[in-house]
Amino acid sequence: MRNLLPFFTRIPVKGDFERVKNELWALPLLAPLTSALATLVLYLKLPLSNVLALLSLYLTIGLLHLDGLADWADGVMVKGDRERKIKAMKDLNTGIAGIFAVVMVLFLQVYSLPFLPFYALYLAELNSKFAMLFALATKKPLGRGLGAYFMEGMNGRQLAIGTVLYLLLLLPIVYIEPLSLASLLGLLAGAYVVHLSLENFSGLNGDCIGAVAEITRAGALLGMAVVWQVI
């Protein structure tokens, strides 16, 4: 798992890039680490804890996935054929669709947190990391970037181990609080991002994987907030 940290977080450790694609099964194990500081902020109930928690999260994971979300949204929203959409996604300039997507994802997360228990961000991160694993398992690379490199190492064994780890990390929380199952709504959102990516680009690259991570986390928090308030 140590080799994943430099590429999926800002935690200052060294990793072997050549081994990353063979350790993708450990992505769910990153969730307790990436959400630790944010969860502590929420547990302590600090002033503006929802804002501080989200800042703490991005301090830990960085802004790479948010950048990918912006590029992905620009590509999906532009009118035209597949080539034009891919060109828009790879454009260095962020368009209005990308800005809107980032603002909405941040807003939904900040807005949802005050309605949820302190461990909600951990659940959202767990689903986010598992959704990334699921997206890589599609084995539908777009281009020859990092996304394609990681997909080269994905196989049924990695997905199976990752799924078992995901369930082991999820089920104890669900046993204590059954409403935590609402976090699975985030996976549906992530699966829809994968569907849109395949529909618009005929494959997935690093930007698509980043969009899956961000939208899954926001969807999990929003889904839990709605269920918690209704029930």
Side-chain angles (χ1 to χ4, degrees):
M1 185 183 75
R2 181 177 63 86
N3 293 308
L4 297 181
L5 294 175
F7 305 103
F8 290 94
T9 76
R10 296 184 68 252
I11 298 174
V13 297
K14 293 184 178 180
D16 187 342
F17 182 72
E18 295 299 322
R19 296 184 179 181
V20 174
K21 67 179 181 180
N22 297 318
E23 296 181 3
L24 296 170
W25 55 267
L27 273 170
L29 292 178
L30 294 182
L33 294 176
T34 56
S35 64
L37 183 57
T39 299
L40 178 62
V41 170
L42 293 170
Y43 177 76
L44 294 175
K45 297 181 180 179
L46 299 176
L48 294 176
S49 60
N50 56 333
V51 176
L52 293 177
L54 205 60
L55 290 174
S56 300
L57 175 69
Y58 285 110
L59 179 66
T60 305
I61 65 175
L63 301 176
L64 185 61
H65 296 331
L66 272 180
D67 182 63
L69 169 65
D71 293 338
W72 174 84
D74 281 339
V76 167
M77 293 303 294
V78 73
K79 293 182 178 181
D81 57 16
R82 173 179 176 272
E83 286 69 29
R84 186 175 182 185
K85 287 176 175 291
I86 293 175
K87 182 179 179 181
M89 182 166 59
K90 293 183 176 181
D91 194 328
L92 295 178
N93 298 311
T94 302
I96 187 62
I99 294 172
F100 179 79
V102 169
V103 170
M104 286 304 299
V105 161
L106 293 175
F107 172 78
L108 289 175
Q109 292 179 95
V110 170
Y111 180 80
S112 298
L113 284 173
F115 300 99
L116 296 169
F118 71 92
Y119 52 82
L121 202 46
Y122 159 73
L123 291 170
E125 262 294 276
L126 179 60
N127 281 282
S128 175
K129 295 298 183 284
F130 182 67
M132 293 173 68
L133 185 66
F134 170 78
L136 291 170
T138 62
K139 303 284 282 185
K140 297 285 187 179
L142 175 63
R144 299 299 304 169
L146 276 179
Y149 175 75
F150 291 148
M151 286 183 192
E152 288 177 3
M154 272 301 301
N155 51 44
R157 178 177 174 273
Q158 290 218 64
L159 180 60
I161 296 174
T163 301
V164 170
L165 291 173
Y166 166 75
L167 292 173
L168 289 174
L169 292 168
L170 174 69
L171 292 179
I173 306 295
V174 172
Y175 178 77
I176 297 171
E177 177 48 78
L179 290 181
S180 298
L181 277 173
S183 65
L184 298 182
L185 293 171
L187 289 182
L188 295 179
Y192 187 61
V193 173
V194 172
H195 168 73
L196 285 179
S197 299
L198 295 175
E199 185 177 66
N200 285 273
F201 314 121
S202 301
L204 289 84
N205 62 4
D207 291 333
C208 301
I209 303 300
V212 167
E214 291 296 324
I215 292 177
T216 297
R217 188 190 316 109
L221 290 174
L222 179 62
M224 284 189 288
V226 171
V227 171
W228 241 273
Q229 292 305 301
V230 171
I231 300 177

